[in-house]
Each structure stands twice: as structure tokens, then as C-alpha cells.
Amino acid sequence: YMGLTKASQRFVNNVERKLMFGDSVDNTGLGTTTSVGCQGFFPKLLADAETVGYTPGNLDIPFLHTLTRVMDVNGCTKQNMWMSDIFQKQDFSDGIFAEFPAGAFVWGQGEKSEEASVAYGFKIMDIDGYRFQTHKYRNLNTEAYTGLTPATDYFRNSGWITPMGETADAKTPSRTYKNITIMAQEPPKGGSVGNGIRVWNWGGGSTNPSDGTLRDNIEMACYRSIRIAAANQFVFIPGT
């Protein structure tokens, strides 16, 4: 039972990594015989999102103004999630606090300073009409899931602005799509299906005796992908 619980946890974690980092094919190759999956979140946006770089240690109010100008041009939604690795998250905290020395900002009274309001709570910031909900995404740091610091980490000092809104279909404006959607297809019949994941066992020692060998095997499968709409409304923020 403990082994099955651990296997289930590892499977779910692997699904997340495939959805975020997987780069097998995009939707133009899904009809081919070599198709093995859909393009993940980061590979898609590295190709199509806007990029606004910064120098690590200099994530401050002037940089945020530059960022919001780019977002204005691209018609970004007003509410956004800012996913970052731990280094950029620390830069964000240090840079913003440096702009508000003691006495310059009164906790609980941010509404009195609209444009430069920091409804921080260590999580939320409002500026130039945009709301950023900051979030540290641990999987951007290789150390978090391998326990080893690489010589060069691809997403070191990096982050993403992910819009939390909808966009109209260019051909049929009456249709709207969320900027990011998890698409799922029910697995083939059989086994037990929960949350789009098919689980089944087999072997002579299982409750589904399929051969003469005394063994009990558990299999899991699911069909999921990420759909990105209006990729230009996402912003990649690399530390350069």
C-alpha cells in the first residue's frame, strides 16, 4: 500500500512536469504516426510569449513600469499570476521593499495610494492598473526536485506573467477561451477512472488474474495537455 501511494504521487508529479516542461510535439504534429504528446507550457511560451529581461538584483518599480507598458501594448488582462523561481521571488521582495523605506508605506492603508499601491501581504501587488499575484514555483529550480545544483540552471532568476483572464476567438468573437486551460480526454474503458486517470491491475496475484505468474502489477495512464490562448499576453521575465 505504501509503495502504491508513492507510485501514485510520482505519477501525478510526472504529469505536472510533462504539462509544464514537455516539448514532444505541438498541435501541428498530432496526426502523425510519431506523435507522442502535446507541447508543454514553458516550451510554448518560450516560442510565442513576450520577453522582458532584467538584471538580477534590480527588480524595482521602474522595471515594473516597463513591464506594464509591454502588457498594455499586448492587451493583457488586469489580473495576473507571477510565477518565479526562488531567486527572482527574493529579488521581487527586496526590490519592492527597497522602494518603500520606513514611513513611506503604511500597512493596511494601501488604498490611499492607488497607482503605487502595494497590497503586498507578501503575495499581491497592484501597480499601473495591473494586479500581480506572486507565487514561487519550486520546479523552476533544479535543486528542488533533484537535490543537485547544476553549473547552469536554465530558469535561474526567471519568472512568468500568466494572465488570469479570457480572450475572444479571432474568427468567432462570440467564443471566448481562458488564457490557460487543462484539456483532458477520458482514457480507454476499463480499470477505475478518477480525475481522468485510468488505474488497473493485472497479474496472477492481483484481483484481475490475467496470467499464471504470481505477481500484482498496477498501471496508470491519462490523456492531458495544456491549451494556451493569446500567448502574447504571457510574459517571460529572464534574469540576464
Side-chain angles (χ1 to χ4, degrees), residues 59 61 64 82 84 88-98 100 105-111 116-126 131-135:
L59 206 165
I61 296 298
L64 294 183
W82 188 329
S84 59
Q88 186 175 97
K89 187 69 165 64
Q90 291 169 340
D91 272 353
F92 184 93
S93 297
D94 294 343
I96 299 306
F97 281 129
F100 296 98
F105 179 73
V106 180
W107 292 98
Q109 297 183 15
E111 70 278 0
S117 173
V118 177
Y120 205 80
F122 301 101
K123 293 182 180 180
I124 300 173
M125 177 175 186
D126 295 325
R131 167 160 289 191
F132 298 114
Q133 297 177 234
T134 63
H135 172 71

